[in-house]
């Protein structure tokens, strides 16, 4: 089962600094397990970030993105309380969506 | 079982401890370390550790909320900053992981042998429960200063044993911790070596474990770090939460007193 | 626990705000840098100093190399990251909508010391910058 992401969104003026930590093996399909068998290709292919329901970033990834991937982006015209929604989809068709609200600048 | 065994020949390569050139390695690495530390996947294990801590588990169907980490049952804030310490109920000086095992056995009824065997996870696995729990419990001391005291005679005895062990050269390579960690500005290949005789450097060490180890993609603890050092030195296998491991941890934490705890750390 | 809160349409198609860009298989499966560039439509590229690549000079561990790209080029539509010596050089493409700054930060795997190349598409034209990242092996493995 896909594990939850950690999403931080903090305001810098009217730009939200969004940082996302995801749990995913991002297997390249070239690694062998302890028994010597190839671990199959398994990686996040697509990440969509939406701000109050509107897509702001649409990312396509290869298996070269690191395990337990991180994504940082900056959302324009943001206010405290706005919703940031993140959805990833992998090459197995698994997906995960998490969301957070933009926190006021500290 | 741990990862692949390496030949002595490979170790010989690593054993060349090279002087660090001030301009090259640290600065070149600095940006990368900063970027990785700012957003640490280890936080996801911290979340899991918190969940596990409050979950009713084991044959006794109990959470760990009544565990005494030295400040009284259920008091987590600041507990890690005072470990290792003597515990009257076990009559032992225990570090955080040893105490965690005690509580998992006593409160939850889990089997000690199973816990010891699975405490250190395989690289690229999901990590062990103990790794997640140790991180969560330590994080409850984030922002606080390491403050190991040696009031009890057993604590003093353990510290002295740790000091001896740190300096003792042994095994087929005639290495001690001091061999790699007793001088300034040394490295093995491109890995800079912490000088543990320097106050600031050892404070940096004790403040940052448990840590997410990038290459293993799991959270690693101080017990793992010591285990791996013993492996690097080709000394006998260091048993999880053994007296030797706790003695060394006591010595290192005390030397690092004043360090501001900030976990999870991020290691390569 | 539930993996997704997205409602599926009757055709089983996913709808999340705007349509998802299809995964660019030819580009991602290219083994040569030129083919990867062709795959993302970057025929001619102009070297640009308005693309900032923030990445370490030396990566302590090739499994987790942090790379952040900032484009100061007006009307940036997308940012791609290519690790030239990787077996499959194209690592990521970010389509930037108007609601986001032309900036993305990720971590990539690098097999060896290589140029990390950023390719920015703006107003239909392509711009590029590159930075060498040295990949080391730390300690005793």
């Amino acid at each position: 089962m896909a594990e939850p992401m950690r999403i931080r969104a903090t305001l810098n003026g009217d730009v939200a600094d969004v940082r996302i930590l995801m749990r995913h093996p991002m297997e390249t399909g070239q690694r062998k397990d302890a028994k010597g068998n190839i671990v199959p290709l398994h990686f996040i292919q697509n990440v969509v970030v939406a701000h109050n329901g509107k897509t702001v970033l649409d990312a396509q990834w290869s298996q070269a993105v690191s395990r337990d991937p991180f994504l940082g982006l900056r959302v324009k015209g943001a206010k405290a309380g706005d919703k940031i929604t993140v959805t990833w989809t992998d090459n197995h068709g698994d997906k995960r969506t998490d969301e957070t609200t933009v926190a006021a600048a500290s | 079982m741990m990862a692949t065994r390496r030949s002595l020949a490979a170790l010989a390569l690593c054993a060349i401890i090279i002087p660090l050139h001030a301009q090259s390695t640290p600065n070149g690495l600095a940006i990368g370390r900063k970027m990785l530390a700012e957003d640490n996947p280890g936080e996801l294990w911290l979340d899991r550790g918190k969940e596990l801590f409050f979950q009713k588990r084991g044959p006794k169907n109990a959470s760990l909320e009544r565990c005494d980490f030295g400040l009284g049952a259920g008091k987590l804030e600041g507990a890690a900053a005072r470990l290792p310490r003597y515990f009257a109920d076990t009559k032992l000086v225990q570090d955080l992981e040893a105490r965690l095992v005690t509580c998992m056995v006593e409160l939850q009824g889990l089997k000690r042998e199973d816990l010891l065997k699975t405490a250190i996870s395989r690289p690229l696995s999901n990590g062990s429960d103990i790794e997640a729990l140790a991180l969560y419990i330590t994080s409850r001391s984030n922002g606080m200063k390491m403050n190991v005291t040696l009031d009890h005679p057993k604590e003093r005895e353990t510290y002295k044993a740790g000091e001896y062990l740190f300096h003792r050269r042994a095994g087929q390579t005639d290495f001690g911790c001091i061999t790699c960690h007793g001088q300034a500005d040394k490295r093995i290949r491109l890995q800079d070596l912490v000088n543990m005789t320097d106050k600031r450097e050892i404070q940096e060490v004790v403040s940052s474990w448990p840590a997410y180890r990038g290459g293993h993609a799991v959270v690693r603890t101080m017990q793992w770090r010591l285990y791996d050092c013993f492996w690097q030195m080709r000394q006998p296998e260091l048993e999880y939460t053994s007296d030797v491991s706790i003695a060394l941890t006591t010595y290192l934490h005390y030397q690092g007193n004043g360090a501001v705890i900030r976990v999870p750390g991020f290691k390569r | 626990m539930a993996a997704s809160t997205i409602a599926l349409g009757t055709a089983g198609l996913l709808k999340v705000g705007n349509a998802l860009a299809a995964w660019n298989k030819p580009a991602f499966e290219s083994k040569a840098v030129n083919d990867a560039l062709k795959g993302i439509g970057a025929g001619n590229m102009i070297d640009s100093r308005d693309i900032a690549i923030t990445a370490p000079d030396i990566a302590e561990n090739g499994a987790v190399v942090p790379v952040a790209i900032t484009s100061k080029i007006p009307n940036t539509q997308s940012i791609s990251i290519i690790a030239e010596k990787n077996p499959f050089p194209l690592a990521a493409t970010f389509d930037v909508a108007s609601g986001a700054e032309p900036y993305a930060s990720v971590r990539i795997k690098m097999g060896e010391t290589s140029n990390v190349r950023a390719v920015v598409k703006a107003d239909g034209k392509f711009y590029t910058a590159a930075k060498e990242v040295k990949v080391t092996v730390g300690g005793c493995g």
Side-chain angles (χ1 to χ4, degrees), chain B residues 21-250:
Chain B
H21 295 290
Q23 277 184 345
S24 59
T25 321
N27 292 334
L29 295 171
I31 298 173
R33 284 176 171 170
K34 181 173 180 291
M35 289 171 83
L36 292 169
E38 278 175 4
D39 294 283
N40 190 335
E43 304 273 352
L44 297 168
W45 274 263
L46 195 158
D47 293 340
R48 178 159 140 234
K50 182 175 180 183
E51 242 186 69
L52 287 169
F53 186 84
F54 290 101
Q55 214 176 80
K56 289 189 167 51
R57 306 172 81 218
K60 293 189 179 176
N61 198 37
S63 78
L64 288 168
E65 289 168 88
R66 286 184 49 242
C67 187
D68 181 359
F69 285 99
L71 300 181
K75 179 129 201 282
L76 288 187
E77 208 133 316
R82 303 288 309 278
L83 290 166
R85 68 190 293 159
Y86 179 77
F87 287 88
D89 58 358
T90 53
K91 295 197 177 47
L92 296 169
V93 174
Q94 293 183 294
D95 68 354
L96 189 147
E97 292 175 72
R99 194 63 192 165
L100 179 54
V101 169
T102 296
C103 284
M104 289 171 86
V105 169
E106 301 293 311
L107 295 175
Q108 299 181 314
L110 296 168
K111 279 207 162 81
R112 186 177 178 78
E113 312 82 64
D114 294 343
L115 293 174
L116 297 183
K117 243 195 295 192
T118 58
I120 295 176
S121 65
R122 305 188 62 120
L124 308 183
S125 69
N126 267 324
S128 71
D129 292 343
I130 282 183
E131 284 160 350
L133 283 162
L135 173 58
Y136 170 64
I137 294 158
T138 306
S139 79
R140 296 296 302 272
S141 292
N142 271 350
M144 301 179 186
K145 292 192 176 148
M146 184 66 71
N147 181 22
V148 170
T149 55
L150 305 178
D151 297 332
H152 193 282
K154 277 227 179 301
E155 286 165 354
R156 288 195 286 279
E157 191 180 279
T158 304
Y159 170 86
K160 284 216 118 46
E163 181 180 39
Y164 166 75
L165 287 162
F166 184 86
H167 293 87
R168 181 187 75 157
R169 290 165 64 173
Q172 55 189 319
T173 58
D174 197 31
F175 273 16
C177 314
I178 190 81
T179 310
C180 290
H181 294 294
Q183 304 160 86
D185 297 330
K186 296 295 183 196
R187 63 181 166 91
I188 290 175
R189 292 196 276 188
L190 262 293
Q191 185 68 59
D192 46 333
L193 291 167
V194 178
N195 176 12
M196 303 235 215
T197 64
D198 176 280
K199 182 77 174 172
R200 247 188 349 101
E201 289 196 46
I202 195 171
Q203 282 178 334
E204 174 59 44
V205 168
V206 305
S207 68
S208 59
W209 291 93
Y212 179 79
R213 170 84 185 229
H216 294 190
V218 288
V219 167
R220 290 303 189 204
T221 64
M222 181 56 79
Q223 281 284 336
W224 171 82
R225 182 61 261 168
L226 295 173
Y227 170 93
D228 194 59
C229 281
F230 270 63
W231 162 242
Q232 302 291 7
M233 292 190 286
R234 300 303 187 271
Q235 291 198 12
E237 185 170 327
L238 184 67
E239 282 184 13
Y240 189 74
T241 65
S242 58
D243 291 347
V244 168
S245 69
I246 291 173
L248 281 165
T249 304
T250 304

Side-chain angles (χ1 to χ4, degrees), chain A residues 51-85:
Chain A
H51 172 213
N52 288 339
K54 187 161 174 252
T55 296
V56 291
L57 192 80
D58 189 337
Q60 298 171 58
W61 283 354
S62 81
Q63 64 271 35
V65 172
S66 298
R67 181 179 287 257
D68 296 334
F70 167 74
L71 173 59
L73 67 144
R74 296 183 181 140
V75 176
K76 301 199 296 204
K79 295 182 319 294
D82 283 354
K83 271 207 160 46
I84 302 290
T85 313

Side-chain angles (χ1 to χ4, degrees), chain A residues 11-38:
Chain A
L11 269 181
N12 212 331
D14 72 338
V15 174
D17 179 11
V18 180
R19 297 166 186 247
I20 306 152
L21 286 167
M22 307 172 214
R23 280 275 282 135
H24 200 282
M26 299 299 286
E27 290 287 356
T28 61
Q30 306 197 321
R31 187 175 72 88
K32 288 200 178 139
D33 65 15
K35 297 197 186 99
N37 303 315
I38 287 275

Side-chain angles (χ1 to χ4, degrees), chain C residues 12-13 19 24-25 27 37 46 54 57 67 70 74-75 83-84 86 96 101-102 109 114 116-117 125 127:
Chain C
L13 287 175
N24 191 340
K25 199 167 145 79
L37 289 170
I46 304 160
T54 308
D57 298 330
V67 176
T70 311
N75 304 320
E84 290 185 347
N86 272 8
V96 184
E101 288 192 351
K109 302 177 184 97
S114 158
V116 171
R117 176 168 297 284
K125 296 212 223 11
Y127 304 84

